[in-house]
Amino acid sequence: MMIDVDLLLTYGATYKKISKGEIIFTEGDNCSFYYQLLTGRVNWLNINDDGNEFIQMLIDPGESFGELPLFDNEPYGESAIADEDSVVIRLYKPVFNQLISENVAIHFNFSKLLAQRIRFRFILLHSFACHDPVERIKTLLNYFKKENKNFCNKSRQLKLTRQQIADMTGLRVETVIRAMRHMHEAGAVLIENGKVFC
């Protein structure tokens, strides 16, 4: 979901530079801002008590993140950490609420975005019932292909690392490497020089 930057600025939004590894917000924090990524990449994730990460979504430029608390007034259910040096534009929560109440089309687009993200969660949760790591990975890759996300458009090269795939599917990175090798041998993906193409 991308709200026009000029419109956000009209409502008083501000730019914020974020360094790689910097925490934008933490699970359990109260929400104060609407965030939209302009440049860079952000990991939207949960971290368990052992420090293991489970990536909910990788946020690319043009996408918003951390929206649920804007609508239900609950704390953040995930953390957001810059995966690389990034720039976000943020808008104070009460002003964001004013913006969407005055712009019905934007409000409708948020409803659509939230439905898409819930559907993605259902697809992933359904794949977790399958104990076959290849099927979990195929489910993830097929979703991203359908949404045209996390691939270089022309080459169809996957932009995710094996670790990121592991963090999204709940698998160990070694399991992902083995499963992707099987997928390559079966012709489901092409691996050349360590790069994955679909």
Side-chain angles (χ1 to χ4, degrees), residues 11-148:
Y11 277 83
T14 57
Y15 295 100
K16 182 170 174 57
K17 289 184 180 180
I18 300 164
S19 301
K20 180 179 180 174
E22 186 176 338
I23 297 170
I24 302 166
F25 55 78
T26 303
E27 181 177 348
D29 287 351
N30 289 321
C31 174
S32 298
F33 296 98
Y34 162 78
Y35 290 98
Q36 185 168 294
L37 185 63
L38 298 179
T39 64
R41 195 168 200 185
V42 171
N43 286 337
W44 197 12
L45 50 84
N46 293 103
I47 303 171
N48 69 14
D49 293 338
D50 296 328
N52 297 320
E53 296 180 356
F54 183 83
I55 297 175
Q56 298 292 342
M57 191 157 299
L58 294 167
I59 306 300
D60 290 317
E63 296 180 318
S64 60
F65 57 98
E67 304 93 350
L68 284 179
L70 294 168
F71 295 94
D72 69 4
N73 293 316
E74 294 292 323
Y76 286 112
E78 303 85 13
S79 299
I81 302 172
D83 191 43
E84 55 189 58
D85 290 346
S86 303
V87 176
V88 298
I89 189 164
R90 63 185 192 169
L91 183 63
Y92 189 51
K93 181 180 174 180
V95 181
F96 170 80
N97 289 330
Q98 177 187 349
L99 183 151
I100 62 169
S101 70
E102 294 173 358
N103 295 273
V104 176
I106 292 173
H107 199 291
F108 178 77
N109 287 336
F110 267 102
S111 297
K112 184 176 177 182
L113 172 71
L114 294 175
Q116 288 171 335
R117 290 189 173 165
I118 290 169
R119 183 176 302 279
F120 175 60
R121 292 275 116 286
F122 284 151
I123 290 168
L124 274 188
L125 285 173
H126 184 264
S127 78
F128 285 10
C130 176
H131 297 291
D132 181 3
V134 169
E135 288 306 313
R136 284 193 195 184
I137 295 168
K138 278 184 182 178
T139 298
L140 183 73
L141 297 183
N142 286 337
Y143 178 83
F144 286 144
K145 278 197 287 190
K146 180 180 171 246
E147 296 297 318
N148 201 24

